[in-house]
Amino acid sequence: IVFAVSMLGAMIFAVLAIFAVCKIKTENIDFFEKLCRNRKLGVIIGFPLVCWCVPHTQAIIFSWAEPYLWYAAVVLTVLSYFYLDYLFARALGGAFIIGAYCFVHWAYEFQVTGGIALTVIAWLWGICGICISAKPSFLRDYFRKCASCKKLKIVSYLFFGLTDVIFAVSLVGGLLK
């Protein structure tokens, strides 16, 4: 069920991304530039991702530090709210990375239809996430470029649309097995 819910969530995100790219214009670029730096949305997206990482970290952390992982997740989220810039962009990049990991893992675990296509599109999402997380201003620059370049908008529509098609095929194929 986690696979199905995650795939549906990713498909909804891709549809929303198509609508967001449609809305990017030079007149409203300020909204999208401020969105990249939004700390509240960054915490809303980032904290569940950090919590998702805690059980996976328990396998590799020193045993004396294990009881403090949940506290560290809360403290680091609070610190990131106050001290990190472009928090929304960083959290979105992290979501792309974790999503890519999960979708590649599930493509092989559940032997879904279109597993290779799902893996390739997940790798692309993961690469985007790594780039955004490494340099969060890339998301702002992407918004700026989308406002002025129709070709980039078309490529974005195709990428998000292809994501939806591949995820739908994988979801249906995974549910039918």
Side-chain angles (χ1 to χ4, degrees):
I1 187 139
V2 173
F3 169 73
V5 170
S6 298
M7 292 295 269
L8 284 173
M11 290 169 60
I12 291 168
F13 171 79
V15 169
L16 293 175
I18 290 172
F19 287 121
V21 170
C22 281
K23 297 288 184 186
I24 299 174
K25 295 182 177 49
T26 53
E27 301 85 42
N28 65 354
I29 194 67
D30 288 343
F31 169 78
F32 289 97
E33 287 179 349
K34 288 178 185 174
L35 179 66
C36 295
R37 300 181 110 157
N38 191 318
R39 291 180 178 193
K40 291 177 184 165
L41 282 177
V43 168
I44 290 170
I45 294 171
F47 183 65
L49 296 174
V50 171
C51 289
W52 182 87
C53 291
V54 167
H56 298 281
T57 308
Q58 288 174 336
I60 60 171
I61 193 100
F62 295 112
S63 59
W64 62 265
E66 196 172 321
Y68 304 109
L69 284 176
W70 288 104
Y71 300 112
V74 172
V75 168
L76 291 174
T77 302
V78 171
L79 288 174
S80 69
Y81 179 83
F82 289 110
Y83 293 107
L84 284 180
D85 198 12
Y86 289 94
L87 191 55
F88 174 77
R90 293 175 194 271
L92 189 64
F96 288 175
I97 294 167
I98 289 176
Y101 163 77
C102 289
F103 294 133
V104 169
H105 174 74
W106 291 330
Y108 291 100
E109 182 179 348
F110 298 123
Q111 297 292 312
V112 297
T113 306
I116 293 172
L118 175 63
T119 300
V120 170
I121 204 80
W123 282 340
L124 291 173
W125 279 100
I127 291 168
C128 290
I130 291 169
C131 291
I132 292 170
S133 294
K135 187 160 176 153
S137 60
F138 280 165
L139 187 61
R140 179 203 61 206
D141 296 341
Y142 168 76
F143 290 149
R144 287 179 179 173
K145 191 69 174 170
C146 274
S148 63
C149 180
K150 290 215 180 234
K151 288 181 183 178
L152 182 59
K153 276 190 170 187
I154 291 170
V155 169
S156 298
Y157 297 147
L158 292 173
F159 179 67
F160 294 131
L162 183 64
T163 296
D164 269 340
V165 169
I166 290 171
F167 279 25
V169 167
S170 297
L171 178 62
V172 170
L175 293 177
L176 292 178
K177 284 191 171 187

